Amino acid sequence: MRIALLSDIHVGNLVMRPKRLRSIVDAVNEAHPDIVLLAGDFVIGESYKGTARRALDLAPLASLRAPGGVFAVLGNHDHWTDPEAVRSSLRSAGVFVLENDAIRRGAITIVGIDDRFSGHDNIARSAQRAAKLGGIPIAFTHSPDLAPDMPKNMTVLFAGHTHCGQLVAPVVGPIVQYSRGRRLYDQKYSCGRIVEPRRVTIVTGGIGSGELPLRFNARPDWWLVELAPWKSDATYKRKVA
């Protein structure tokens, strides 16, 4: 099973216009994923004003092609602005939004856990919904910081949020590390593939860049992950966006 992971689209940013989003959608379709996971932060900003109009620019997502479906969770910026407008635009694009919920697709169960950074995650409810469906649970969320609190049977977690630091200075590391007086994320989960005794967490750098249309030493990306039975590992391909 091939899973495409995208996050942090951030429409409204000067460099994330519908034309660029369409080109990324085309690249994802060329990889022929079975399932597409969209890990939150679809819009920029922290204000309700203007979000409904910006969310309309998510329309190119309707062209995503995945026989198992396209699924999404919301991110902190979605919750801080106009979550209903974001949900509406995603539904119009044929994207199924999971909010602390799960859905079965063949042998696996997709578990969508809402965003921890904005205080909307409910791991217990998500786990209960997944348990009722059976199957192998594959979890995704926006902020990766909930990884240590995940149930033992959820051994794969996909996330975004970090932008891989977005502006990463040599030696110093990420320049922006706090938002609203809080650390944005645990640096352990800053970027890429994190292997722990009971779990593999994959954190994409995202395809957008928040309100600041600039990245340094942190290229935008999306991931294509192939899961297969009877293998000790999966195949990972990090795609530059």
Side-chain angles (χ1 to χ4, degrees):
M1 180 170 287
R2 293 158 67 87
I3 298 177
L5 170 67
L6 294 81
S7 187
D8 300 273
I9 296 173
H10 286 298
V11 292
N13 182 290
L14 290 172
V15 296
M16 185 51 74
R17 299 303 189 193
K19 181 178 179 181
R20 178 165 180 255
L21 183 55
R22 280 194 296 270
S23 71
I24 294 171
V25 166
D26 289 343
V28 174
N29 288 338
E30 288 173 4
H32 302 292
D34 298 294
I35 288 172
V36 175
L37 302 180
L38 305 174
D41 269 10
F42 294 93
V43 297
I44 64 168
E46 299 182 8
S47 170
Y48 179 90
K49 186 177 180 180
T51 300
R53 188 209 59 76
R54 288 192 289 271
L56 296 176
D57 286 347
L58 294 169
L61 295 177
S63 296
L64 283 168
R65 297 289 176 260
V70 181
F71 304 95
V73 291
L74 299 189
N76 53 295
H77 284 279
D78 306 318
H79 284 295
W80 290 344
T81 53
D82 188 346
E84 187 49 47
V86 175
R87 292 187 194 100
S88 178
S89 289
L90 291 172
R91 286 194 293 263
S92 295
V95 178
F96 195 97
V97 182
L98 292 171
E99 298 182 84
N100 298 309
D101 208 345
I103 189 167
R104 181 79 179 261
R105 285 294 181 267
I108 72 170
T109 296
I110 302 295
V111 187
I113 306 174
D114 216 331
D115 174 54
R116 168 158 291 193
F117 193 75
S118 58
H120 291 82
D121 62 302
N122 189 328
I123 295 176
R125 182 182 187 277
S126 303
Q128 289 170 0
R129 297 287 290 176
K132 290 181 180 179
L133 296 173
I136 302 168
I138 302 294
F140 77 117
T141 189
H142 181 59
S143 172
D145 277 14
L146 52 66
D149 300 326
M150 295 285 287
K152 293 179 181 178
N153 69 319
M154 293 188 186
T155 58
V156 178
L157 176 66
F158 298 107
H161 180 60
T162 69
H163 300 193
C164 285
Q166 186 165 332
L167 299 173
V168 182
V171 182
V172 176
I175 296 172
V176 179
Q177 297 189 21
Y178 291 85
S179 176
R180 295 190 173 191
R182 297 168 51 204
R183 182 176 288 275
L184 277 165
Y185 53 86
D186 185 336
Q187 289 298 310
K188 179 179 182 178
Y189 302 105
S190 63
C191 190
R193 180 170 173 256
I194 301 96
V195 180
E196 298 176 284
R198 296 183 178 136
R199 183 169 298 102
V200 174
T201 301
I202 295 177
V203 181
T204 170
I207 60 177
S209 58
E211 293 191 57
L212 181 65
L214 179 66
R215 282 181 178 256
F216 182 74
N217 281 340
R219 300 182 74 177
D221 66 28
W222 61 275
W223 285 68
L224 183 68
V225 179
E226 181 179 291
L227 303 177
W230 305 301
K231 286 186 178 181
S232 61
D233 208 347
T235 300
Y236 307 86
K237 294 181 181 179
R238 186 180 180 185
K239 308 282 190 175
V240 176

